[in-house]
């Protein structure tokens, strides 16, 4: 779950990370009120989960009330790389002497948190890593040992930060790591991490990604989800307890078990098709869940054909068949369905589908045959 900048800063503040004072606002009037309270100069920053806000004009400095109103009017409702700005963060302007970059990310290949620091803050860090990799100091942290003071000093020296802020930078990294662990985050990034003219270290930005699977341990964080920016199909699926990821194609996919669904995506691509989604109905999907899954898949207007690939284990094929029959009765789909049932009660499932005589449903016995059929039907329908 990705947080907006101000939500990340509020999370940082809970763990003692220094951040500028500020207030969120969802209207021009609220933004002006926040600016008056914070004082001038202040910065009005678009809150969207995408980079490049400054280049797009989504970050503006206001020196008085008139400028605050003008900037807020311009920014709220602005489109930044496909994301509409629904709220802004108004914060006190900072006197910046230096801009650094700092992050803690979970490195899956190393199975350890990776802490990074660079003196080239305020820039696209991917570009820095590609063009000047030695400018990015890296250190893996043993999760049993945790982040220690010497880790911070080593990163600061390796990155080449100013000598007088080596310890403050180290302390900041330690605090960011503590927040990373305590909040079950997969990413904590500050770009830029600034040194002010009076030599204080502060997080001027905040990019935080939380592990969805750990939100049950953080009920307060669960309420931070930015549903306005979420894809409507993914939001619908989450509300129904379905594992769904929207893709760019036109072939709807449903399977039971993540491995089977991933294999189905590959086979559809091999057959020349373009999957519209990843949808795992789960190991114990029943008729009601299958109906809900069909509704989610068909809510995507790009879908021109759907492939059901079910291997009956915990999930019984006759239950899947009942769910499909029920879905057709309730939704009355207009796109063709290809159904492959194999495993527990597969014969019963195929018999139910045959007796129901559903319109535009095509049974197939193999995964490749089902993929080829659905790609053919999707092309015709498209």
């Amino acid at each position: 779950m990705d947080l907006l900048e101000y939500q990340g800063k509020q999370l940082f503040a809970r763990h003692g990370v220094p951040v500028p004072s500020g207030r969120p606002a969802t209207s021009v009037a609220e933004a002006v009120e926040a600016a008056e309270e914070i004082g001038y100069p202040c910065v009005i920053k678009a809150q969207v989960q995408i980079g490049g806000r400054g280049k797009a004009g989504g970050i503006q400095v206001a020196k008085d009330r008139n400028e605050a109103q003008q900037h807020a009017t311009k920014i709220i409702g602005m489109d930044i790389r496909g994301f509409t700005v629904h709220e802004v963060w108004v914060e006190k302007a900072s006197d910046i002497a230096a801009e650094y970059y700092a992050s803690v990310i979970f490195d899956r290949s190393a199975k350890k948190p990776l802490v990074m620091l660079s003196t080239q803050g305020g820039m696209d860090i991917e570009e820095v890593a590609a063009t000047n990799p030695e400018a990015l100091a890296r250190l893996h942290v043993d999760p049993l040992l945790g982040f220690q003071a010497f880790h911070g000093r080593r990163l600061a020296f390796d990155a080449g930060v100013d000598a007088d802020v080596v310890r403050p930078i180290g302390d900041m990294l330690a605090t960011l790591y503590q927040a990373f662990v305590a909040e079950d985050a997969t990413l904590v990034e500050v770009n830029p991490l600034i040194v002010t003219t009076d030599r204080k270290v502060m997080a001027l930005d905040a990019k935080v990604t939380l592990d969805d699977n750990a939100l049950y341990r953080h009920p307060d964080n669960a309420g931070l989800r930015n549903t306005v920016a979420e894809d409507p199909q993914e939001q619908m699926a989450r509300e129904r307890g379905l594992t769904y990821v929207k893709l760019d194609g036109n072939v709807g996919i449903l399977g039971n078990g993540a491995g089977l669904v991933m294999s189905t995506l590959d086979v559809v691509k091999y057959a020349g098709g373009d999957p519209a989604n990843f949808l795992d109905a789960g190991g114990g999907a029943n008729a009601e869940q299958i109906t809900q899954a069909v509704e989610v898949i068909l809510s995507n207007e790009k879908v021109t054909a759907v492939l059901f690939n079910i291997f009956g284990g915990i999930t019984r094929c006759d239950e899947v068949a009942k769910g499909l029959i029920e879905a057709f009765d309730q939704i009355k789909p207009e796109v063709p369905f290809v159904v492959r049932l194999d495993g527990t009660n597969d014969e019963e499932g195929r018999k139910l589908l045959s007796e129901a005589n559903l319109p535009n449903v095509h049974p197939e016995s193999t995964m490749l045959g089902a993929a080829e059929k659905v790609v053919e039907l999707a092309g015709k329908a498209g």
Side-chain angles (χ1 to χ4, degrees):
M1 183 176 77
D2 296 325
L3 302 188
L4 294 169
E5 175 197 357
Y6 81 87
Q7 294 171 330
K9 284 181 174 176
Q10 290 172 344
L11 182 146
F12 283 176
R14 295 207 303 260
H15 293 276
V17 177
V19 295
S21 58
R23 276 182 50 186
T26 57
S27 68
V28 174
E30 286 183 5
V32 172
E33 180 184 340
E36 291 285 299
E37 178 182 320
I38 292 166
Y40 301 100
C42 65
V43 185
I44 299 177
K45 308 174 79 173
Q47 296 300 288
V48 286
Q49 293 167 336
I50 193 73
R53 294 175 299 166
K55 294 179 181 178
I59 300 177
Q60 299 289 340
V61 177
K63 298 175 183 173
D64 54 41
R65 182 186 181 92
N66 287 337
E67 287 193 359
Q69 186 171 17
Q70 291 172 8
H71 295 327
T73 302
K74 176 185 175 183
I75 294 173
I76 295 177
M78 174 187 289
D79 182 275
I80 299 179
R81 296 169 61 186
F83 288 77
T84 301
V85 179
H86 296 283
E87 55 187 325
V88 295
W89 173 248
V90 183
E91 73 178 16
K92 187 174 182 60
S94 301
D95 294 322
I96 303 173
E99 294 185 349
Y100 297 155
Y101 168 89
S103 68
V104 185
I105 187 170
F106 184 71
D107 185 343
R108 297 185 184 280
S109 60
K111 299 180 181 179
K112 295 178 181 179
L114 173 64
V115 184
M116 294 185 283
L117 179 67
S118 174
T119 56
Q120 297 189 22
M123 299 174 58
D124 185 341
I125 198 61
E126 287 81 7
E127 182 180 339
V128 172
T131 60
N132 190 16
E134 63 275 9
L136 189 61
R138 303 173 175 88
L139 184 142
H140 284 99
V141 178
D142 185 331
L144 297 179
L145 177 64
F147 192 89
Q148 303 295 316
F150 70 87
H151 289 143
R153 292 194 295 274
R154 174 181 163 182
L155 281 165
F157 284 122
D158 287 350
V161 306
D162 293 338
D164 65 320
V165 292
V166 166
R167 287 189 180 276
I169 289 290
D171 292 341
M172 171 68 83
L173 293 175
T175 308
L176 289 174
Y177 183 86
Q178 191 272 331
F180 175 86
V181 173
E183 301 292 344
D184 287 303
T186 57
L187 170 68
V188 166
E189 181 180 84
V190 182
N191 189 22
L193 176 71
I194 65 168
V195 179
T196 63
T197 52
D198 57 358
R199 311 309 288 170
K200 292 181 180 178
V201 178
M202 185 178 298
L204 198 61
D205 192 19
K207 184 177 181 181
V208 177
T209 301
L210 302 176
D211 185 352
D212 281 357
N213 295 318
L215 287 178
Y216 71 93
R217 291 203 290 253
H218 307 279
D220 292 343
N221 289 346
L224 298 176
R225 187 180 294 276
N226 183 20
T227 56
V228 174
E230 285 188 350
D231 180 87
Q233 277 84 39
E234 293 186 356
Q235 185 177 346
M236 182 192 304
R238 190 183 66 255
E239 291 171 353
R240 299 178 182 202
L242 299 168
T243 303
Y244 175 94
V245 178
K246 188 174 180 179
L247 303 174
D248 295 328
N250 64 332
V251 178
I253 304 289
L254 181 143
N256 60 314
L260 179 62
V261 180
M262 291 173 68
S263 298
T264 306
L265 297 179
D266 289 341
V267 175
V268 167
K269 290 289 287 185
Y270 176 79
D274 207 358
N277 65 271
F278 171 105
L279 197 156
D280 175 12
N286 55 32
E288 181 182 358
Q289 289 170 314
I290 295 298
T291 302
Q292 292 178 341
V294 171
E295 290 176 340
V296 171
I297 291 173
L298 295 182
S299 66
N300 181 358
E301 295 179 354
K302 289 185 177 180
V303 172
T304 57
V306 178
L307 172 57
F308 268 49
N309 189 15
I310 302 296
F311 182 80
I314 300 174
T315 301
R316 290 167 34 193
C317 291
D318 57 332
E319 282 291 331
V320 174
K322 290 176 184 177
L324 190 56
I325 293 167
E326 188 175 325
F328 265 67
D329 182 57
Q330 294 181 15
I331 307 169
K332 304 190 184 310
E334 298 179 359
V335 303
F337 277 64
V338 176
V339 181
R340 178 207 175 218
L341 300 177
D342 190 18
T344 305
N345 291 2
D346 55 358
E347 292 184 7
E348 291 87 339
R350 286 192 288 270
K351 181 179 178 182
L352 285 170
L353 290 178
S354 177
E355 292 173 349
N357 194 27
L358 299 176
N360 220 0
V361 171
H362 307 264
E364 289 288 336
S365 57
T366 67
M367 187 186 299
L368 180 58
E372 291 174 341
K373 185 66 175 179
V374 78
V375 170
E376 175 191 346
L377 294 170
K380 289 180 179 179

